[in-house]
Amino acid sequence: ELVTDVPTPELAQLEEQLETQSVNPMLLKKRLAREIVAQFQGAAAAQEAEAKFERVFQRREPPKEWRVELGGAVSMSGTLEIKVKRDILNLLVDANLAKSQSQAKRLLAQGAVDVDGQKLIGSHIVLKRGDVIKVGKRGFLRIIDPEKPTWETIKY
């Protein structure tokens, strides 16, 4: 009510829809989020944020944009496929997707780690360039060069 520019009568109507359960609450939340983001960041940023939310959290796709945390920018061009066996626990800790090896073990035991859409069971894995590791709902890691500790991560 305090942050959005949605008129008060319209907000009351949205509240009524929530109380009577005549509309999906997710639709109202997304609308209010879009309004607030548009107010502070602009309409284009609001549309981009909504598309990102739908892609990553509703359709569970990996993000399209990545920021490099370790190893700098490395080109992924070329056809050479390098495979290296790595301990996933160390990799998750090194990439800041787990605070400790104990947390990484718990994530693995809970089935919260998958590689290219396949749940990971053991702690050792053969990685290749371009693999996407998903940790929980919000952590993603894309392997750039498995021989060197080089990857890109994004955490929402």
Side-chain angles (χ1 to χ4, degrees):
E1 293 175 0
L2 299 175
V3 180
T4 180
D5 285 339
V6 176
T8 305
E10 195 172 340
L11 284 174
Q13 183 183 17
L14 295 177
E15 262 186 64
E16 182 182 322
Q17 288 175 340
L18 275 175
E19 288 173 7
T20 61
Q21 298 180 352
S22 63
V23 68
N24 185 343
M26 176 65 74
L27 296 175
L28 298 179
K29 289 177 187 178
K30 285 170 67 173
R31 175 169 178 234
L32 287 175
R34 186 174 48 246
E35 296 276 344
I36 292 169
V37 172
Q39 184 175 343
F40 290 101
Q41 303 283 326
Q47 288 176 342
E48 183 180 326
E50 184 176 12
K52 185 186 301 182
F53 175 83
E54 289 173 354
R55 184 175 57 251
V56 175
F57 297 109
Q58 290 184 312
R59 295 193 305 265
R60 301 188 191 281
E61 297 174 4
K64 290 184 178 177
E65 63 288 320
W66 299 80
R67 66 184 156 84
V68 176
E69 280 194 0
L70 297 172
V74 176
S75 172
M76 288 188 61
S77 61
T79 58
L80 179 64
E81 186 172 279
I82 302 168
K83 294 182 179 180
V84 174
K85 188 172 183 177
R86 293 277 319 246
D87 179 7
I88 193 73
L89 303 176
N90 289 330
L91 182 62
L92 295 180
V93 173
D94 292 345
N96 295 319
L97 292 173
K99 293 179 182 176
S100 66
Q101 285 208 353
S102 296
Q103 183 187 22
K105 283 180 188 177
R106 282 191 298 276
L107 289 167
L108 198 60
Q110 294 167 357
V113 180
D114 69 54
V115 178
D116 291 331
Q118 300 294 319
K119 292 276 185 223
L120 191 58
I121 298 169
S123 65
H124 284 80
I125 182 171
V126 176
L127 296 173
K128 63 185 181 307
R129 180 180 295 164
D131 279 348
V132 174
I133 300 171
K134 182 179 175 191
V135 181
K137 292 183 179 180
R138 300 179 180 201
F140 295 90
L141 175 117
R142 181 173 54 195
I143 303 300
I144 295 175
D145 187 348
E147 285 190 331
K148 303 173 192 168
T150 308
W151 54 80
E152 300 170 312
T153 60
I154 188 165
K155 193 162 185 178
Y156 287 98

